[in-house]
Amino acid sequence: QKHVLDKMTPAFIERGGERGHDADPLEKIWKDWEAFASYAFNKSHSTCYAWIAYQTAYLKANYPAEYMASVLSNNMNDIKQVSFFMEECKRMGVEVLGPDVNESNYHFTVNKVGAIRFGLGAIKGLGSAPVAELIEKRAEDGPFLSVFDLAKRVNLRVCSKKAFESLVFGGGFDSFSSAHRAQYFKEDGNGRTFLDNLVRFGSAFQDSKNSSQASLFGGDSGAKLPEPTIPESEEWGNIYALNKEKEVIGMFISGHPLDDYKMEIEAFCSGNVSMLNDMKANANKEVLIASIISDAEHRFTRK
């Protein structure tokens, strides 16, 4: 604040004189301080920022997947930022895969083929405790072989039915080819969904196993429990499945609701929403943009 500094100059010279100092050295000192305040502080900062910029640019250029996974993890609680950086990944040609119970960790990570795997910690309704439980059991006894194997191994007091629902909606169970997302919510004759029966099966298995360990003769009666039957069900429509995915992840990952209209978009659309960022360059143009109405409100004015 140069104007504040200027007001202090006479006081500095005057009080320095009162203490027996000559005016010339005092003025020299003051001018040096002014020069330092206007230049040296900024120079030190710009040097530090230049060094950080060089380091991060090097990482982004040479380790793009690892760098973007770190950036996404650092912003995983801000869905707008995650969406922004997901677009940057797409621009860079770095693939981002949806969550998976056998590969995802809490944060965004890079898998063996160099793709970014979505972090389980970014799934709404899952929570840190269920994620830690899944990762711990996976580390102890290897990947989960099926949803039944998962239900038998994890602590169901920690990984509740609600956590399972979030994983299904987000695509966390998609690697288990035995069932698609809609089948988990198909009801049987008793009004119970397959997900209900899965959790009941896992709980019964664990109770049986614990009672066998506590008995006099042991045995593994838990292994004899029959697995619940996976019901037949039509797959969810593309838009419904993706909207459920967006509810728990905050964005579309496995696809996009407009994928079914790719041919029409390529044939008829002549622009995109990003053109609105440069109104001058696109002034007076007639543009067709494909979009989705995600929300609508009825409002009444005084008129």
Side-chain angles (χ1 to χ4, degrees):
Q1 292 178 297
K2 187 68 166 60
H3 66 283
V4 177
L5 202 65
D6 290 341
K7 289 178 182 177
M8 295 168 67
T9 308
F12 177 76
I13 304 298
E14 183 183 331
R15 292 177 190 177
E18 289 173 2
R19 284 163 176 75
H21 300 292
D22 292 337
D24 289 344
L26 290 172
E27 288 177 2
K28 170 72 168 63
I29 290 169
W30 190 262
K31 284 180 180 177
D32 287 346
W33 283 351
E34 281 186 326
F36 181 83
S38 63
Y39 174 73
F41 179 81
N42 294 341
K43 184 180 180 183
S44 67
H45 266 55
S46 62
T47 303
C48 295
Y49 282 128
W51 174 231
I52 293 169
Y54 172 79
Q55 290 175 315
T56 52
Y58 177 86
L59 290 171
K60 189 175 181 182
N62 293 280
Y63 302 93
E66 289 82 359
Y67 176 77
M68 292 308 296
S70 177
V71 172
L72 284 162
S73 296
N74 198 45
N75 291 276
M76 63 192 295
N77 294 322
D78 186 341
I79 197 62
K80 287 185 178 179
Q81 286 291 87
V82 170
S83 299
F84 173 79
F85 289 119
M86 292 272 280
E87 285 297 316
E88 177 65 4
C89 289
K90 189 184 294 184
R91 186 197 66 77
M92 293 167 62
V94 176
E95 188 178 11
V96 181
L97 304 171
D100 180 79
V101 288
N102 273 331
E103 194 170 70
S104 295
N105 288 323
Y106 186 84
H107 294 105
F108 289 77
T109 50
V110 179
N111 65 11
K112 293 176 182 177
V113 297
I116 295 174
R117 180 62 78 174
F118 206 90
L120 294 176
I123 300 177
K124 294 175 187 173
L126 195 54
S128 57
V131 173
E133 173 69 11
L134 288 164
I135 294 171
E136 183 183 336
K137 290 295 186 288
R138 205 171 66 198
E140 285 176 0
D141 302 307
F144 301 110
L145 303 177
S146 66
V147 287
F148 303 111
D149 181 43
L150 187 147
K152 289 192 288 187
R153 285 165 58 184
V154 300
N155 184 342
L156 295 171
R157 292 187 183 87
V158 177
C159 288
S160 63
K161 179 189 165 188
K162 174 66 178 171
F164 278 37
E165 286 178 357
S166 295
L167 283 165
V168 174
F169 288 143
F173 289 165
D174 285 0
S175 58
F176 301 133
S177 56
S178 56
H180 55 74
R181 299 182 194 184
Q183 287 174 291
Y184 289 95
F185 297 93
K186 179 73 174 178
E187 292 185 355
D188 60 15
N190 297 316
R192 290 197 295 262
T193 64
F194 171 57
L195 202 56
D196 290 324
N197 292 329
L198 179 65
V199 174
R200 287 162 68 95
F201 161 76
S203 182
F205 177 89
Q206 292 176 21
D207 288 344
S208 179
K209 185 178 179 181
N210 292 334
S211 63
S212 296
Q213 289 173 347
S215 71
L216 182 64
F217 301 106
D220 191 16
S221 59
K224 298 173 186 176
L225 285 172
E227 294 176 349
T229 304
I230 300 175
E232 293 294 324
S233 172
E234 287 187 12
E235 290 194 33
W236 284 335
N238 187 41
I239 291 177
Y240 182 83
L242 288 168
N243 280 336
K244 286 294 182 184
E245 186 176 288
K246 189 177 181 181
E247 279 181 20
V248 296
I249 294 180
M251 67 189 73
F252 307 118
I253 289 189
S254 60
H256 194 279
L258 293 180
D259 287 345
D260 294 341
Y261 306 96
K262 188 176 181 181
M263 188 183 297
E264 290 87 342
I265 290 169
E266 290 177 350
F268 298 112
C269 293
S270 56
N272 53 57
V273 179
S274 65
M275 294 172 71
L276 299 173
N277 292 325
D278 193 354
M279 298 295 280
K280 287 184 179 179
N282 297 293
N284 301 316
K285 286 184 181 177
E286 193 169 293
V287 182
L288 280 174
I289 297 175
S291 59
I292 300 171
I293 299 172
S294 59
D295 189 29
E297 293 181 14
H298 290 273
R299 294 192 175 188
F300 295 91
T301 68
R302 284 180 293 179
K303 296 182 180 180

